[in-house]
Amino acid sequence: MKDIDCTGLLHIRVLAGENEDGPVFESLPARQIDEHVYELLASPGLTLNLARGDVINIANPLAPAQVLKRGGNFCIHIYADDTPQAAVDQLAREVQEQLGGTLDGQYEGNLTFSVPSRHGIYNINGPFDAFRDATGIEWYFANIYVNLEDDDDETLLNWWLEEQA
């Protein structure tokens, strides 16, 4: 499903998961490429395995979005009940200055960042680890694991290695 707001920005609904009431959807800004095929213009805050720039297919609205092409960004999630705005502002500045990344979303204490994968998975930790050390709030990669259903399975997708080759 898609909606166009008053500014002409296209928003699509992607399946983020399920709860006791049924499917949970997230609305994401996107650019339509073809029927059911979209390029994401921001990383999601709930949906796993997606990031800004990914080209996805959402032909089946009740299934997870199918990634057709990676957009070259890591999606970083930070979940907290409350995050000091000064710490958020500092992290956003450091991610932009050091990594060329962006704060794509903020809802209460929850944050979503996009960080270019060209830095490599182990070279982006600096600003996020400093944020964790200052606030006690942990951060997570949201689009690097094969098995999204098992929190204990840390098998990596390694899509960023193909981008660097």
Side-chain angles (χ1 to χ4, degrees):
M1 177 179 279
K2 59 185 176 181
D3 298 308
I4 299 176
D5 68 16
C6 62
T7 64
L9 180 64
L10 179 67
H11 280 81
I12 59 172
R13 285 183 358 141
V14 297
L15 182 67
E18 291 193 25
N19 64 20
E20 62 277 354
D21 296 326
V24 175
F25 296 94
E26 183 171 8
S27 178
L28 298 171
R31 178 178 69 87
Q32 187 164 13
I33 295 174
D34 203 348
E35 184 177 12
H36 308 296
V37 177
Y38 300 89
E39 176 186 9
L40 297 179
L41 301 179
S43 287
L46 293 175
T47 308
L48 299 176
N49 196 33
L50 301 177
R52 184 183 68 212
D54 287 354
V55 176
I56 63 169
N57 183 311
I58 56 169
N60 180 353
L62 295 177
Q66 176 188 14
V67 178
L68 303 176
K69 181 179 181 291
R70 294 286 176 183
N73 289 295
F74 293 119
C75 177
I76 308 294
H77 285 172
I78 295 172
Y79 298 117
D81 291 330
D82 184 44
T83 305
Q85 190 59 46
V88 172
D89 295 342
Q90 180 176 347
L91 178 59
R93 265 192 318 276
E94 290 175 358
V95 167
Q96 170 62 44
E97 291 169 2
Q98 296 175 29
L99 304 170
T102 57
L103 174 60
D104 286 4
Q106 180 176 4
Y107 177 75
E108 296 178 354
N110 305 316
L111 309 172
T112 301
F113 287 85
S114 292
V115 178
S117 63
R118 69 178 176 270
H119 299 287
I121 193 169
Y122 301 109
N123 297 321
I124 69 165
N125 299 2
F128 294 104
D129 285 349
F131 172 83
R132 180 196 59 220
D133 294 346
T135 64
I137 301 170
E138 191 58 69
W139 61 277
Y140 309 91
F141 285 100
N143 66 329
I144 66 167
Y145 298 109
V146 171
N147 188 352
L148 302 175
E149 303 302 318
D150 183 355
D151 292 338
D152 294 325
D153 184 353
E154 294 186 357
T155 305
L156 299 177
L157 287 167
N158 289 326
W159 58 261
W160 55 94
L161 298 177
E162 297 168 13
E163 305 237 336
Q164 295 173 354

